[in-house]
Amino acid sequence: MAKTPTLTSMSTSDLAEILFCCGLQESDRPSTEQVRAAIRARICACGGDRSVCVALVAQEAGDHPETYRTRMRWALSTVSAAYPDLGTPD
């Protein structure tokens, strides 16, 4: 079983990919704590394997290219606000 990485060892982009795969929506206007909880829950659900989330992002990009960019921009800006110490997206 994969060891769950610490979220602070991940970049803004890494966390945005994880958030992208969560059920949260921009229209939910999630709080910082809801965002952090959703990211923690998703990475745990993937067994700590971030590549599972990356695969889901790729699938969504292929299945719904018309909404991918908007959702990823939301995920990046939301993660930047929830984890300000990480700095700008890479």
Side-chain angles (χ1 to χ4, degrees):
M1 185 164 142
K3 183 179 181 240
T4 302
T6 62
L7 297 179
T8 55
S9 70
M10 292 187 209
S11 70
T12 300
S13 297
D14 295 337
L15 294 176
E17 288 171 338
I18 295 166
L19 179 61
F20 186 99
C21 301
C22 296
L24 288 180
Q25 299 294 319
E26 182 175 12
S27 60
D28 295 335
R29 298 192 175 278
S31 69
T32 296
E33 188 48 44
Q34 288 172 312
V35 169
R36 290 178 178 187
I39 290 172
R40 282 190 304 269
R42 176 44 111 180
I43 195 66
C44 287
C46 293
D49 186 355
R50 194 181 66 79
S51 67
V52 173
C53 293
V54 172
L56 290 169
V57 169
Q59 181 178 352
E60 284 298 309
D63 291 348
H64 305 285
E66 70 283 358
T67 59
Y68 167 79
R69 183 180 296 172
T70 300
R71 181 155 175 82
M72 185 52 78
R73 283 186 180 153
W74 169 78
L76 284 165
S77 66
T78 300
V79 165
S80 292
Y83 297 91
D85 294 341
L86 293 179
T88 58
D90 5 326

